[in-house]
Amino acid sequence: EDKVVQSPLSLVVHEGDTVTLNCSYEVTNFRSLLWYKQEKKAPTFLFMLTSSGIEKKSGRLSSILDKKELFSILNITATQTGDSAIYLCARGGSNYKLTFGKGTLLTVNP
Amino acid sequence: SQTIHQWPATLVQPVGSPLSLECTVEGTSNPNLYWYRQAAGRGLQLLFYSVGIGQISSEVPQNLSASRPQDRQFILSSKKLLLSDSGFYLCAWNRRPGDGYTFGSGTRLTVV
């Protein structure tokens, strides 16, 4: 069974804090690891990672993949209330479908 | 550019009534299409996927069904809704194995 496990399941921080979200996955036929942000509606794409050790950055968000230890992290620095959302991790394999984790609910308080 | 349309945005249906949710993709051909359900704002559960017209794979046995009558059209149906069918339904597409999805805007279904 394909499994993607995210931790923590929920997190409450104050504005300005730095957070690290974790995602571990199973290796079978691995092709990609993706991060999405979901607010009220549909998930929006953040990052797609295929190579180990190469950090991807977008503003205050960054992510990296470790294919040896089978995990990825998503970092958010200087958090803002607009970062409050569910962050979803997904694994892409040799078939077309993505397998999603349960998500991390991040709440950033002012 | 490619776009994906999903409707309706919200739906309140009585138990035992039928369901039809529609999803269409524009600007691409032969997309892989997916229906997911998200309960209680958490992880996404894959319900059905399709790699071509008339080809439907079911991931979870339940009282829902899916059809793909045209290349860029994907329909989720039920003959009789259950309370447990309530949730947020998302349509998505991609092209190649391992590619990320583009999601539709979602349908929030409440069965009463």
Side-chain angles (χ1 to χ4, degrees), chain A residues 22-59:
Chain A
N22 303 290
C23 176
S24 63
Y25 62 92
E26 292 189 346
V27 72
T28 311
N29 297 320
F30 173 84
R31 288 214 179 189
S32 58
L33 191 292
L34 299 102
W35 285 96
Y36 288 85
K37 177 183 180 182
Q38 184 179 24
E39 295 175 87
K40 299 283 186 192
K41 292 199 171 181
T44 54
F45 172 80
L46 293 175
F47 299 109
M48 178 168 152
L49 305 157
T50 55
S51 300
S52 206
I54 299 174
E55 185 183 53
K56 293 211 171 181
K57 271 182 84 74
S58 176

Side-chain angles (χ1 to χ4, degrees), chain A residues 32 36 38 42 86 96 98 103, chain B residues 32 34 36 38 41-42 98 101 104:
Chain A
S32 58
Y36 288 85
Q38 184 179 24
I86 295 173
Y96 292 93
L98 300 181
Chain B
N32 304 304
Y34 307 84
Y36 280 84
Q38 187 176 38
R42 299 316 302 258
Y101 293 159

Side-chain angles (χ1 to χ4, degrees), chain A residues 9 31-32 34 36 38 40-43 48 86 88 92-105, chain B residues 9 32 34 36 38 41-44 46 49 51 59 88 90 94-101 103-106 108:
Chain A
L9 290 181
R31 288 214 179 189
S32 58
L34 299 102
Y36 288 85
Q38 184 179 24
K40 299 283 186 192
K41 292 199 171 181
M48 178 168 152
I86 295 173
L88 294 164
S94 58
N95 56 27
Y96 292 93
K97 53 187 178 176
L98 300 181
T99 301
F100 286 84
K102 294 189 187 303
T104 294
L105 174 61
Chain B
N32 304 304
Y34 307 84
Y36 280 84
Q38 187 176 38
R42 299 316 302 258
L44 275 64
L46 180 62
Y49 70 96
V51 299
E59 290 289 301
F88 189 51
L90 285 160
N94 69 356
R95 288 301 302 273
R96 298 171 302 184
D99 277 0
Y101 293 159
F103 285 93
S105 53
R108 194 162 302 281

